[in-house]
Amino acid sequence: MTRKTTAAPRKTSTAAAARVPAPKQSTPADLDTGHFAELLDERIGQAREKINAVVADIREVTLAAKDTPADDEHDPEGSTVSVERNNEMALLASAEASLIELLDAQVRLEEGTYGVCEMCGNPIPAERLEIRPEARYCVTCAAAARRR
């Protein structure tokens, strides 16, 4: 005989309630959106170039691995090829994540929500956006997120 089960209601902690994102605000009127659109385009181009370079490096390492024996245990170069390939794959993942963040920022700019902290709803300082145009959070909220 099958038994019916129902989920118990979840208790919401005050910490979880405190992390509820602020409602979406509009891009600050004093923000030079044209400048940041150009900056995002430039960084997106750089990220794509980085991805292409890393993919080329991965191809090169993969081709070099074909010339080495498959027995890594007895081949002193075998582990080096594996480590190098893993390092390149990590670089690729990082570059792709960076590109995604930049593309998301471009969407926020087009939607009119760029330059607003997704946590507290306050404007993100233009100085921060100059350094990290993909920034989603103000300095205070970004620091709080890193501490968690």
Side-chain angles (χ1 to χ4, degrees):
M1 177 151 112
T2 58
R3 210 171 114 177
K4 266 190 173 176
T5 58
T6 57
R10 290 185 145 194
K11 295 180 183 177
T12 307
S13 70
T14 55
R19 286 184 284 214
V20 174
K24 291 199 177 209
Q25 303 290 327
S26 297
T27 299
D30 61 341
L31 194 68
D32 184 359
T33 54
H35 167 71
F36 287 106
E38 290 175 10
L39 184 59
L40 284 168
D41 286 341
E42 180 183 322
R43 298 277 177 93
I44 287 169
Q46 291 170 352
R48 288 188 170 140
E49 286 175 11
K50 175 73 172 172
I51 289 170
N52 290 338
V54 172
V55 167
D57 288 347
I58 291 171
R59 277 193 207 114
E60 188 177 310
V61 169
T62 302
L63 289 174
K66 289 181 181 181
D67 296 335
T68 60
D71 185 10
D72 281 355
E73 185 177 334
H74 296 98
D75 179 23
E77 290 297 314
S79 61
T80 305
V81 171
S82 296
V83 169
E84 190 172 342
R85 186 180 307 134
N86 286 339
N87 287 342
E88 294 293 334
M89 294 302 288
L91 285 173
L92 179 61
S94 175
E96 287 174 338
S98 177
L99 177 61
I100 289 168
E101 285 297 316
L102 290 163
L103 292 171
D104 285 349
Q106 199 173 45
V107 169
R108 290 192 304 275
L109 186 66
E110 291 168 3
E111 290 177 345
T113 59
Y114 181 77
V116 177
C117 178
E118 292 182 2
M119 190 70 68
C120 68
N122 291 329
I124 299 172
E127 295 81 12
R128 176 168 172 73
L129 293 171
E130 282 290 334
I131 296 167
R132 294 187 49 110
E134 72 278 11
R136 294 175 175 273
Y137 306 109
C138 65
V139 176
T140 305
C141 291
R146 276 193 302 270
R147 285 190 295 261
R148 286 184 229 171

